[in-house]
């Protein structure tokens, strides 16, 4: 670990000279470091792990978020209580002597930095730097700026983006990195870094040469924007006037537009999301690179053993997972039952729901928010009970946090709790507290069917279904995000609803009926009465989808299309 410049030179020898800086507001790299809220952060962590595996010379930059996102506790009615989730920073990260500072509201805010080392499969190291303002000499308000991920008001958030973007670029220089010539912004949160680069290079084209931007949000309201008056007072004179027309909308600075303006390469995170982004931002050239997951992180222990036995080399080259097609069905089933047992035991220890190892089990785990429709499957409890009585028992496991200010997301959780208490007749439902990397791994590998129900086209990609595929768990999802590319009906899973309806991209009634019809007529009968073909489907998930929807493939596309062109 680089204690000094000398040590850093040694690190450089291991990592090669880092050429790419990867900026992300959240990075979920380690189950003990709770500085992520969900899909975006997990993707960032998986990206960095694959860079390490593939010897891609990257450094990661993020905020410390020393209070984490939050710990989710649910009371008996499903009310979400948010508790701080402070982690013992020095147990996992190493403080470095480098320091820098940024101007916020004309104050100098000091920043220090913590180091985390990601070691790839052949020993290559990718450093990740966590920026921290909790340091002697800063005011109390400034000290708290790197405490809460997505906490606070508009000004707090903008201050965080100044620290991440501008502070991040300066910190890399303070650490002595002189060879970086690509800045990859994972979502618009780091876009202010482009202003620092422009301040230093004084040439728009030179900045564009160095910047790459990945957008993640197919909804206009999801893009960060700030009143220009607030921006000007907080940022001072680093914002050049001549770009204002390009980067503002209705007197607001739009972070996505800023990142678009200064990037030579821009991409969405699935083919459909690329299309949607091109419509949202006409005039920009926007490509797409479909997301993936880090295979070794998300494959459960029983499947790791199975893959090691039949497909050695899959860890460094997940394309090899294609040959899962030749694994015996009984071996796939036994590995699955082992992963399922771990999940069911966990669930039964958490609550008195008393789930069974052999009953058909559905999983829904992700951020609880309205567009993802967590309550779609329980929207007609009678229908669910009829299906279970007719064909076989159904167990449903939910998990996921709602953003503290997402009141409709919180209502969805309460609705699930309400149905949970009254439902009977062979249907069992439970909701696990505090969804995180560990629970995500247990759920995506331990259920029989992975459910995803976003309203089209709001799911940019989605990645949890890819984790499921790595464990032979088929997905049942609306055709949105990556599922438009990954769904082969009855072979890798099933689609909910049509690709589009006449009325709109999504229609709750149509989707709901199709969800129940397919469960009743195709999916659950296949699980209980046609086990051989069910396992065939499981196997195809690994061979067809896990072999492609992984960050190893994804990074190779970034290297070719974004980093080195
Ligand atoms: C994978 C993952 C997500 C993202 O889930 P999506 O279904 O893609 O939205 C969120 N949270 C955790 C903890 C995860 O592991």
């Amino acid at each position: 670990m680089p204690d000094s410049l000398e040590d850093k030179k040694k690190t450089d020898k291991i990592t090669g000279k880092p050429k790419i800086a990867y900026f992300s507001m959240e990075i979920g790299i380690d189950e003990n470091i709770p500085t992520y809220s969900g899909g975006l952060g997990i993707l960032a962590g998986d990206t960095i792990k694959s860079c390490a595996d593939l010897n891609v010379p990257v450094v990661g930059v993020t905020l410390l978020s020393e209070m984490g996102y939050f710990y989710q506790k649910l009371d008996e009615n499903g009310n979400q209580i948010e508790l701080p989730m402070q982690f013992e920073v020095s147990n996992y990260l190493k403080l470095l002597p480098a320091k820098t500072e940024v101007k916020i509201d004309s104050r100098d805010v000091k920043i220090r930095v913590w180091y985390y080392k990601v070691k790839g499969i052949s020993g290559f190291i990718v450093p990740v730097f966590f920026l921290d303002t909790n340091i002697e000499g800063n005011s109390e308000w400034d000290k708290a700026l790197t405490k809460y991920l997505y906490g606070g008001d508009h000004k707090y958030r903008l201050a965080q983006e100044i620290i991440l973007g501008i502070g991040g670029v300066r910190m890399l220089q303070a650490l002595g990195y002189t060879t970086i010539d690509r800045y990859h912004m994972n979502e618009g949160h780091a876009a202010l870094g482009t202003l620092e680069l422009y301040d230093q290079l004084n040439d728009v084209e030179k900045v564009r040469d160095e910047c790459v931007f990945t957008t993640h949000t197919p909804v206009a309201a999801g893009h960060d924007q700030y009143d220009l008056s607030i921006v000007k007072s907080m940022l001072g004179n680093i914002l050049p006037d001549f770009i204002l027309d390009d980067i503002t909308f209705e007197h607001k600075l739009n972070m996505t537009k800023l990142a678009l303006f200064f990037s030579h390469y821009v991409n969405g995170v699935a083919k459909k999301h690329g299309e949607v982004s091109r419509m949202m931002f006409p005039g920009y050239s926007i490509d797409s690179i479909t997301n993936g997951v880090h295979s070794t992180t998300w494959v459960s222990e029983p499947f790791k053993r199975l893959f090691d036995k039949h497909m050695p080399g899959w860890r460094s080259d997940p394309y090899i997972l294609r040959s899962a097609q030749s694994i015996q069905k009984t071996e796939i089933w036994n590995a699955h039952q082992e992963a399922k047992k771990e999940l069911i035991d966990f669930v039964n220890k958490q609550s008195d729901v008393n789930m069974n190892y052999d009953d058909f089990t559905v999983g829904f785990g992700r951020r609880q928010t309205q567009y993802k429709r967590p309550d779609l499957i329980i929207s007609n409890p009678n229908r669910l009970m009829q299906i279970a009585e007719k064909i076989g028992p159904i167990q449903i496991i939910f998990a996921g946090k709602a953003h503290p200010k997402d009141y409709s997301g919180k209502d969805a959780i309460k609705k699930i709790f309400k149905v949970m208490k009254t439902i009977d007749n062979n249907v069992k439902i439970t909701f696990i507290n505090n969804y995180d990397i560990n629970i995500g791994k247990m759920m995506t590998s331990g259920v029989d069917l992975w459910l995803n129900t976003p309203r089209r086209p709001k799911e940019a990609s989605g990645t949890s279904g890819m984790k499921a595929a790595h464990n032979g768990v088929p997905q049942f999802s609306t055709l949105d995000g990556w599922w438009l590319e990954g769904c082969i009906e009855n072979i890798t899973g099933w689609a909910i609803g049509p690709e589009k309806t006449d009325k709109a991209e999504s229609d709750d009634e149509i989707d709901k009926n199709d969800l129940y019809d397919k469960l009743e007529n195709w999916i659950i009968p296949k699980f209980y009465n046609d086990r051989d073909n069910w396992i065939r489907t499981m196997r195809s998930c690994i061979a067809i989808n896990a072999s492609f929807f992984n960050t190893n493939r994804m990074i190779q596309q970034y290297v070719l299309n974004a980093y080195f062109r």
Side-chain angles (χ1 to χ4, degrees):
M1 292 193 191
D3 264 320
S4 61
L5 210 61
E6 255 333 285
D7 280 352
K8 203 196 75 60
K9 277 187 196 139
K10 276 184 224 150
T11 314
D12 279 357
K13 270 205 198 108
I14 308 168
T15 64
K17 296 235 182 296
K19 292 199 153 303
I20 304 139
Y22 181 83
F23 281 67
S24 185
M25 184 77 127
E26 47 173 306
I27 298 186
I29 191 93
D30 180 323
E31 65 234 28
N32 296 306
I33 305 179
T35 61
Y36 60 91
S37 80
L40 183 75
I42 304 288
L43 175 79
D46 282 7
T47 297
I48 286 168
K49 289 177 193 169
S50 277
C51 285
D53 286 344
L54 289 165
N55 302 9
V56 180
V58 172
V59 295
V61 180
T62 188
L63 296 187
L64 180 62
S65 303
E66 64 173 300
M67 298 291 187
Y69 183 44
F70 63 85
Y71 183 89
Q72 177 201 47
K73 199 170 135 62
L74 297 165
D75 75 9
E76 68 277 13
N77 296 317
N79 293 299
Q80 175 174 292
I81 300 148
E82 292 126 23
L83 304 168
M85 203 169 168
Q86 190 155 21
F87 70 109
E88 204 43 68
V89 176
S90 56
N91 284 355
Y92 306 103
L93 308 176
K94 186 171 174 91
L95 186 64
L96 301 184
K99 290 198 179 55
T100 190
E101 53 185 46
V102 290
K103 273 223 180 321
I104 298 177
D105 257 337
S106 319
R107 295 185 316 278
D108 289 321
V109 176
K110 295 184 175 52
I111 306 172
R112 62 178 182 176
V113 67
W114 299 81
Y115 172 73
Y116 181 83
K117 184 164 77 173
V118 180
K119 205 181 224 177
I121 204 150
S122 57
F124 187 84
I125 285 168
V126 171
V128 181
F129 297 109
F130 292 76
L131 306 173
D132 179 12
T133 59
N134 189 0
I135 168 176
E136 204 59 39
N138 282 340
S139 71
E140 288 309 306
W141 197 75
D142 293 339
K143 280 183 182 171
L145 285 173
T146 51
K147 280 208 167 132
Y148 302 96
L149 178 63
Y150 305 130
D153 59 7
H154 244 56
K155 284 188 85 168
Y156 185 84
R157 174 82 162 246
L158 183 57
Q160 288 192 323
E161 297 192 3
I162 294 172
I163 293 161
L164 177 66
I166 298 174
V169 170
R170 290 183 185 166
M171 184 56 85
L172 289 174
Q173 290 165 353
L175 284 162
Y177 289 107
T178 54
T179 52
I180 288 168
D181 56 16
R182 286 289 183 282
Y183 292 84
H184 184 170
M185 295 169 269
N186 184 43
E187 191 51 299
H189 307 124
L192 294 172
T194 61
L195 298 179
E196 172 66 14
L197 291 173
Y198 179 73
D199 197 53
Q200 295 183 10
L201 298 168
N202 219 344
D203 181 335
V204 173
E205 285 312 316
K206 276 191 185 151
V207 178
R208 282 186 183 146
D209 263 359
E210 299 198 343
C211 290
V212 169
F213 172 46
T214 301
T215 174
H216 289 265
T217 317
V219 186
H223 295 256
D224 269 348
Q225 41 191 2
Y226 300 97
D227 280 331
L228 213 47
S229 54
I230 296 180
V231 174
K232 281 184 172 164
S233 81
M234 286 188 66
L235 268 174
N237 56 9
I238 199 167
L239 187 65
D241 281 338
F242 76 94
I243 61 169
L244 286 183
D245 280 351
D246 286 296
I247 63 168
T248 54
F249 183 68
E250 292 175 344
H251 301 290
K252 286 190 167 147
L253 168 64
N254 182 303
M255 288 299 177
T256 301
K257 288 187 133 191
L258 175 61
L260 284 168
F261 179 82
F262 275 119
S263 296
H264 74 279
Y265 177 86
V266 181
N267 70 290
V269 290
K271 287 190 181 1
K272 169 81 175 181
H273 179 234
E275 262 171 54
V276 172
S277 303
R278 285 190 288 277
M279 284 198 291
M280 284 174 65
F281 299 100
Y284 292 97
S285 158
I286 303 179
D287 194 12
S288 66
I289 295 178
T290 303
N291 280 343
V293 298
H294 184 250
S295 303
T296 353
T297 298
W298 295 104
V299 172
S300 63
E301 291 309 315
F303 275 98
K304 272 186 180 155
R305 289 197 299 274
L306 192 61
F307 294 173
D308 283 342
K309 176 176 159 201
H310 292 284
M311 305 179 285
W314 69 276
R315 291 167 189 249
S316 56
D317 182 7
Y319 291 121
I320 292 175
L321 295 172
R322 299 168 75 226
S323 39
Q325 284 302 17
S326 58
I327 301 177
Q328 292 283 323
K329 290 198 287 292
T330 47
E331 286 191 87
I332 302 257
W333 185 251
N334 291 342
H336 173 67
Q337 284 301 96
E338 199 181 325
K340 186 172 177 182
K341 180 173 183 302
E342 193 191 340
L343 172 67
I344 301 289
D345 287 346
F346 178 81
V347 161
N348 287 342
K349 225 185 276 165
Q350 302 274 309
S351 71
D352 50 15
V353 63
N354 203 9
M355 290 192 168
N356 296 314
Y357 299 138
D358 294 325
D359 291 351
F360 177 72
T361 305
V362 180
F364 185 102
R366 56 182 56 81
R367 184 158 56 95
Q368 304 287 305
T369 192
Q370 196 143 59
Y371 86 79
K372 292 179 185 262
R373 297 184 291 189
D375 46 3
L376 198 69
I377 190 174
I378 49 109
S379 56
N380 186 347
N382 286 331
R383 179 88 196 265
L384 212 48
M385 288 189 276
Q386 282 159 13
I387 297 172
E389 294 232 311
K390 185 172 138 196
I391 304 166
I394 300 172
Q395 312 185 124
I396 310 175
I397 302 172
F398 287 97
K401 299 175 183 178
H403 185 278
K405 288 181 186 139
D406 183 352
Y407 299 103
S408 58
K410 289 181 171 180
D411 283 345
I413 300 179
K414 280 190 267 185
K415 198 165 152 197
I416 294 167
F417 269 70
K418 221 171 178 174
V419 172
M420 186 159 84
K421 284 180 187 157
T422 55
I423 207 152
D424 205 348
N425 299 356
N426 289 326
V427 182
K428 289 176 180 167
I429 299 177
T430 192
F431 201 117
I432 303 176
N433 282 265
N434 199 46
Y435 194 50
D436 65 5
I437 292 180
N438 284 330
I439 296 169
K441 185 164 170 179
M442 225 184 329
M443 281 180 70
T444 51
S445 61
V447 297
D448 298 305
L449 184 74
W450 192 249
L451 180 70
N452 193 15
T453 48
R455 285 201 184 102
R456 296 170 290 268
K458 297 197 172 170
E459 187 81 308
S461 165
T463 54
S464 59
M466 303 174 185
K467 300 168 191 167
H470 274 78
N471 292 284
V473 173
Q475 181 170 252
F476 185 34
S477 168
T478 32
L479 288 166
D480 201 11
W482 82 279
W483 197 231
L484 282 159
E485 299 161 52
C487 178
I488 307 173
E489 187 77 5
N490 224 358
I491 291 179
T492 58
W494 296 268
I496 299 171
E499 200 173 319
K500 273 187 182 179
T501 69
D502 295 338
K503 283 190 238 161
E505 295 250 21
S506 245
D507 183 316
D508 289 356
E509 240 355 80
I510 292 177
D511 291 348
K512 182 167 104 182
N513 291 330
D514 199 47
L515 185 156
Y516 288 126
D517 289 347
K518 275 200 183 153
L519 280 178
E520 177 168 0
N521 300 319
W522 287 95
I523 301 173
I524 306 182
K526 186 165 167 168
F527 176 84
Y528 279 117
N529 309 325
D530 189 6
R531 188 59 52 85
D532 231 39
N533 272 318
W534 179 268
I535 304 170
R536 232 182 269 275
T537 298
M538 294 178 65
R539 205 166 56 180
S540 309
C541 294
I542 302 166
I544 298 174
N545 279 350
S547 66
F548 183 82
F549 294 100
N550 55 71
T551 38
N552 184 296
R553 180 268 314 156
M554 184 193 85
I555 285 301
Q556 296 183 40
Q557 292 181 320
Y558 275 101
V559 167
L560 282 173
N561 300 332
Y563 295 159
F564 296 124
R565 88 162 184 196

